[in-house]
Amino acid sequence: MATTPTPEEAVERARRAQDQRIETVRVLAQSRQELTNERESADRERTELEARLKERMREYEAADVKAFSAATSAGWTPEELRRIGFPEPEKKRRARRRSTARPKQQKTDSGEAKSSTSESAEPVPDEQSNGSSPNV
């Protein structure tokens, strides 16, 4: 038959059980802190890696634009280069579109300041029609 523990024994058993439970919480807290630290570290590494990759791509894209410009300076036309498999570099195309779109957009804004500022669909056809007019 089971004997009833003395008050000191009961307290000691309860303390051991409580200590075991507290230890599991300590292990959980430590694990969560390590996870949080690792997530923060991974985020920093990811940000740094993305910055390095973007810089490297900028360097390669600049070299590509420079090589394309050198080819056109040597007498090749963009159309000839495109036919043999070298379309105009992405960065150069984007830069050209922005630089030609801004003056045309300003003309549209000054001509139709009240009607075109609230609607984003109207400037696109105006830009396209203005973009094709100088080529004609």
Side-chain angles (χ1 to χ4, degrees):
M1 289 202 222
T3 60
T4 306
T6 65
E8 292 82 25
E9 291 174 337
V11 168
E12 184 56 34
R13 287 180 189 173
R15 196 169 278 140
R16 277 193 305 246
Q18 193 68 9
D19 287 347
Q20 289 172 352
R21 292 177 67 203
I22 290 172
E23 178 62 17
T24 61
V25 170
R26 187 192 64 73
V27 170
L28 174 61
Q30 183 177 354
S31 175
R32 290 284 170 95
Q33 185 61 52
E34 290 171 355
L35 176 61
T36 299
N37 292 347
E38 190 58 32
R39 282 181 177 157
E40 290 171 355
S41 176
D43 287 343
R44 279 191 303 275
E45 286 180 39
R46 186 177 303 110
T47 301
E48 292 168 2
L49 176 61
E50 287 175 355
R52 284 194 311 268
L53 292 173
K54 284 180 183 178
E55 180 58 31
R56 200 161 63 188
M57 288 306 297
R58 273 192 289 271
E59 291 170 3
Y60 281 105
E61 288 168 343
D64 184 52
V65 168
K66 186 176 180 180
F68 189 87
S69 295
T72 56
S73 295
W76 292 95
T77 67
E79 186 177 320
E80 290 172 324
L81 292 170
R82 192 174 22 261
R83 275 189 265 141
I84 60 174
F86 296 106
E88 197 169 350
E90 284 293 317
K91 287 293 180 176
K92 189 172 185 177
R93 276 190 267 163
R94 282 190 229 146
R96 278 190 173 176
R97 287 181 185 157
R98 285 187 198 131
S99 64
T100 59
R102 286 181 182 156
K104 292 173 187 172
Q105 201 171 25
Q106 290 171 352
K107 290 177 186 175
T108 302
D109 288 342
S110 63
E112 300 175 22
K114 292 182 183 178
S115 62
S116 66
T117 55
S118 62
E119 297 179 17
S120 61
E122 279 188 39
V124 174
D126 291 344
E127 288 175 10
Q128 289 174 351
S129 65
N130 285 345
S132 63
S133 297
N135 294 336
V136 175

